Amino acid sequence: MILFNFREELEKMKNGPFEGSAYIQPLGMPSPTIAVVDDDDVKAIKVSQRTTREDGVAILISSLTKHCDLQAGDRLTITGRVGSGAPDSSWGMVLRRGSPDWKQLTHQITPMGLFSLTHLLEAVDLDVVFWLQTNHWGETSPTMDFFIDSILITRMQTKIIADERDIIYTLSNDDFFQSFNEKIVITLAEKDEINNNEMCLRRSGNPVITVCKGNNENIIHISRRTQNWDGLDIMLQPFELLQGNKYQLQVTGRIDGSAPPKSVIMLQGVPTYTWEHLIEVKSNDSFILKHNISPDDLEKWIAIRIATNIPGTDMSFFIDSIELCVM
């Protein structure tokens, strides 16, 4: 069922400057130039004269909620095209929640011509504004023009199968990691079982992953990190999680030795690289990372990564426990 189709509103507009509507507004300080245009016989919104990557369009979900009676689980889909002059790599189209957490909801890395972003609305989304803009990880800022062809919100009636399990995974019951019985440190080499596709836990980047003896079971040590994404990926596919259910992940650990100033350890959704539960840590700090996995996360993520920000790149840390359970 279609709840909102911006094309119906767009087709009635005359070509020329677009000052905004009840649901779509310019985003930026100063605002970029936004216009209704015909591009290859397709009417679209053109966003140009962007001075920063943050310049773009604000989508007033709060207003749409009142107009369309939106609910959690409704799907927002935005499609469009990228103008000339985009960097060759290290950038992407991104949709953020424009609230104090400025959470990155989804993005498409280096779209070639066309882009399509989709997000299942959560309860917290119904009273906020979304930002459609660009992001980058390189030196060249992606301030090229882009076009919005469609903004669509739909609702699907699907039967949810309840996940009757309680605890789905714990590190303490991981057969591979708990199989090392020797009272010595077991270091997993660069091309070994830790990168096996059937593993629940896999290496991210190229750190040294070491299995150590904890108090009652084996724990994991991560060291020799040279990139902020060097860490551990918790793969979701082996757990056969059921769409429509909610799950909670909890990771406990501690920093091994020194932590540079402003070091942050976090969970990341992969491949959207959404930062979740950021914790600033100091030398030898203990930490607890938690994330409630939403139906939208289940659609987009293949893994949840334990990693750091750039200042924390050199940190080594222990993972004492990992637990995934049904909420």
Side-chain angles (χ1 to χ4, degrees), residues 244-260:
N245 289 262
K246 294 183 179 180
Y247 301 89
Q248 184 177 79
L249 175 69
Q250 177 171 299
V251 177
T252 67
R254 50 205 160 90
I255 305 303
D256 180 21
S258 63

Side-chain angles (χ1 to χ4, degrees), residues 14-47:
K14 295 181 179 180
N15 289 358
F18 177 73
E19 303 297 336
S21 69
Y23 315 116
I24 312 296
Q25 293 289 328
L27 175 67
M29 293 293 290
S31 298
T33 298
I34 299 183
V36 179
V37 298
D38 280 317
D39 190 66
D40 291 333
D41 296 324
V42 175
K43 186 159 281 191
I45 294 292
K46 180 181 181 181
V47 184

Side-chain angles (χ1 to χ4, degrees), residues 3 7-8 12 93 116 141 208 234 240 246 263 302 307:
L3 303 177
R7 288 220 61 82
E8 295 178 355
K12 299 175 184 178
M93 295 297 303
S116 179
S141 185
V208 171
I234 302 167
E240 298 181 348
K246 294 183 179 180
S263 292
I302 62 171

Side-chain angles (χ1 to χ4, degrees), residues 177-186 210-221 254 318 320:
F177 284 96
Q178 300 306 322
S179 65
F180 298 100
N181 296 318
E182 301 291 336
K183 293 182 179 180
I184 57 174
V185 197
I186 308 296
T210 305
V211 180
C212 311
K213 287 295 179 183
N215 292 330
N216 298 308
E217 63 270 325
N218 291 344
I219 62 175
I220 297 172
H221 185 256
R254 50 205 160 90
F318 290 94
D320 296 325

Side-chain angles (χ1 to χ4, degrees), residues 16-292:
F18 177 73
E19 303 297 336
S21 69
Y23 315 116
I24 312 296
Q25 293 289 328
L27 175 67
M29 293 293 290
S31 298
T33 298
I34 299 183
V36 179
V37 298
D38 280 317
D39 190 66
D40 291 333
D41 296 324
V42 175
K43 186 159 281 191
I45 294 292
K46 180 181 181 181
V47 184
S48 60
Q49 302 298 315
R50 302 171 60 237
T51 58
T52 72
R53 64 177 178 83
E54 289 89 356
D55 292 343
V57 167
I59 303 172
L60 282 60
I61 300 296
S62 54
S63 297
L64 284 167
T65 296
K66 298 174 183 177
H67 177 68
C68 306
D69 191 27
L70 301 184
Q71 301 173 11
D74 292 341
R75 181 184 298 279
L76 169 69
T77 302
I78 305 169
T79 59
R81 291 156 289 145
V82 176
S84 61
D88 293 332
S89 61
S90 300
W91 74 276
M93 295 297 303
V94 63
L95 184 69
R96 295 187 184 276
R97 182 184 294 141
S99 57
D101 66 359
W102 54 270
K103 179 179 177 181
Q104 179 174 295
L105 300 172
T106 187
H107 77 178
Q108 185 176 343
I109 299 175
T110 319
M112 299 300 292
L114 303 177
F115 67 85
S116 179
L117 302 173
T118 187
H119 173 67
L120 288 181
L121 298 178
E122 301 176 42
V124 68
D125 295 328
L126 301 180
D127 195 34
V128 299
V129 175
F130 284 175
W131 299 338
L132 176 64
Q133 50 194 196
T134 55
N135 201 0
H136 74 113
W137 305 269
E139 295 181 357
T140 303
S141 185
T143 56
M144 68 290 162
D145 301 347
F146 66 83
F147 300 82
I148 301 171
D149 295 327
S150 172
I151 300 174
L152 191 68
I153 303 178
T154 56
R155 179 176 299 160
M156 294 290 291
Q157 300 296 333
T158 57
K159 183 178 179 181
I160 297 175
I161 301 174
D163 196 329
E164 301 295 341
R165 296 174 291 179
D166 183 13
I167 297 176
I168 296 172
Y169 172 86
T170 64
L171 177 59
S172 60
N173 289 328
D174 188 300
D175 291 339
F176 175 78
F177 284 96
Q178 300 306 322
S179 65
F180 298 100
N181 296 318
E182 301 291 336
K183 293 182 179 180
I184 57 174
V185 197
I186 308 296
T187 299
L188 304 178
E190 182 176 350
K191 296 179 180 179
D192 55 18
E193 295 92 338
I194 191 64
N195 286 326
N196 187 312
N197 286 334
E198 297 179 359
M199 295 287 295
C200 296
L201 307 179
R202 296 181 61 189
R203 180 201 318 273
S204 167
N206 193 32
V208 171
I209 306 290
T210 305
V211 180
C212 311
K213 287 295 179 183
N215 292 330
N216 298 308
E217 63 270 325
N218 291 344
I219 62 175
I220 297 172
H221 185 256
I222 300 174
S223 61
R224 299 185 192 175
R225 304 175 61 246
T226 59
Q227 303 288 345
N228 60 301
W229 60 81
D230 284 346
L232 196 69
D233 281 353
I234 302 167
M235 308 303 297
L236 298 181
Q237 189 276 333
F239 305 130
E240 298 181 348
L241 305 181
L242 301 179
Q243 185 58 256
N245 289 262
K246 294 183 179 180
Y247 301 89
Q248 184 177 79
L249 175 69
Q250 177 171 299
V251 177
T252 67
R254 50 205 160 90
I255 305 303
D256 180 21
S258 63
K262 299 184 179 180
S263 292
V264 169
I265 195 161
M266 72 183 79
L267 300 174
Q268 291 182 8
V270 176
T272 61
Y273 306 104
T274 305
W275 291 13
E276 301 287 356
H277 200 178
L278 286 65
I279 297 178
E280 187 167 345
V281 290
K282 295 180 172 56
S283 301
N284 299 307
D285 269 359
S286 296
F287 58 83
I288 300 176
L289 296 169
K290 291 183 179 181
H291 178 64
N292 295 336

